[in-house]
């Protein structure tokens, strides 16, 4: 049996994963329905797969003195999940409990993880890593959460820059809190 791999990403309507503006987390558009959906997505056991940059940006929140009650429930669950970090520069031990570092070729590592894992694999963010995995045909589903904003001036990190051409089969489309879209796709290489 092969474990599934989901690339889970937050986006603006114009395709940015982050911002350098004053929007706040979730671009200030999270609501109770959306947060309940996120909690359900992270409820069952899974293994997180992250690139070094995403791991490093989250590591400060794992310090013993950080108040985890400040997080939404799904984030705490993500931090409690086992993690594989793909990096040639980080070394163990890492701040995140139950974390291993794999320094090999990401395509080879994820191919092996998909064959060996008894739980689904999920990656939140990690754009460079996930573009490489998408191009290698290793991503089973892309779950894009589109927040109702355009951040043309403050947007950072276009999600699919560097990706090959793909056709997307829409598996599910849901609207939460009257404005946030969660779109789940199965990618296949465009030929």
């Amino acid at each position: 049996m092969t474990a599934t791999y989901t690339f889970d990403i937050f986006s603006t309507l114009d395709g940015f994963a982050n911002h350098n503006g004053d929007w706040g987390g979730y671009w200030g558009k999270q609501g109770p329905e959306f947060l309940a959906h996120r909690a359900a997505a992270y409820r069952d056991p899974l293994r997180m797969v992250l690139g070094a940059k995403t791991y490093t940006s989250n590591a400060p929140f794992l310090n013993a003195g950080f108040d985890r009650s400040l997080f939404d429930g799904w984030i705490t669950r993500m931090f409690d999940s086992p993690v594989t970090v793909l990096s040639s520069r980080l070394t163990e031990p890492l701040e995140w409990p139950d974390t291993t570092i794999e320094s090999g070729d990401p395509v080879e590592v994820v191919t092996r993880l998909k064959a060996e894992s008894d739980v689904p694999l999920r990656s939140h963010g990690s754009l460079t890593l996930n573009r490489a995995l998408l191009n290698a045909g290793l991503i089973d589903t892309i779950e894009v959460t589109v927040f109702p904003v355009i951040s043309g001036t403050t947007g950072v990190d276009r999600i699919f820059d560097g990706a090959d051409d793909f056709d997307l089969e829409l598996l599910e489309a849901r609207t939460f809190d009257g404005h946030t879209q969660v779109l789940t796709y199965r990618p296949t290489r465009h030929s």
Side-chain angles (χ1 to χ4, degrees):
M1 179 180 288
T2 300
T4 59
Y5 186 105
T6 298
F7 172 29
D8 168 18
I9 189 68
F10 290 172
S11 179
T12 62
L13 183 61
D14 51 341
F16 290 104
N18 296 300
H19 61 83
N20 61 11
D22 60 357
W23 297 93
Y26 308 100
W27 288 273
K29 306 299 183 188
Q30 73 277 20
E33 293 173 358
F34 173 69
L35 293 176
H37 166 74
R38 294 299 290 180
Y42 282 81
R43 183 173 298 124
D44 295 333
L46 55 87
R47 172 169 287 282
M48 296 299 298
V49 178
L50 301 175
K53 183 177 176 183
T54 299
Y55 168 80
T56 302
S57 69
N58 283 289
F61 304 122
L62 301 167
N63 291 330
F66 195 86
D67 182 2
R68 291 181 69 174
S69 70
L70 299 173
F71 292 124
D72 293 322
W74 74 270
I75 296 172
T76 301
R77 176 69 178 110
M78 180 178 70
F79 287 159
D80 289 341
S81 298
V83 179
T84 298
V85 178
L86 289 105
S87 174
S88 59
R89 65 178 174 82
L90 295 176
T91 58
E92 293 181 10
L94 297 175
E95 304 278 336
W96 204 312
D98 200 10
T99 298
T100 56
I101 297 174
E102 294 278 353
S103 61
D105 177 278
V107 170
E108 292 175 9
V109 171
V110 172
T111 298
R112 180 178 46 77
L113 286 174
K114 287 183 73 164
E116 295 174 356
S117 182
D118 57 352
V119 296
L121 306 173
R122 190 171 185 98
S123 185
H124 182 68
S126 300
L127 298 179
T128 302
L129 168 66
N130 283 304
R131 286 188 292 248
L133 298 177
L134 179 63
N135 289 343
L138 292 173
I139 293 180
D140 299 293
T141 55
I142 301 170
E143 184 177 301
V144 181
T145 300
V146 181
F147 290 99
V149 299
I150 294 173
S151 59
T153 301
T154 59
V156 177
D157 300 323
R158 285 206 179 270
I159 296 167
F160 295 106
D161 279 356
D164 293 340
D165 292 346
F166 288 86
D167 291 307
L168 301 174
E169 175 189 353
L170 183 63
L171 302 175
E172 184 176 22
R174 297 179 66 185
T175 302
F176 295 99
D177 305 302
H179 55 72
T180 299
Q181 293 281 310
V182 177
L183 307 167
T184 305
Y185 295 102
R186 178 181 296 123
T188 55
R189 185 171 299 282
H190 181 75
S191 54

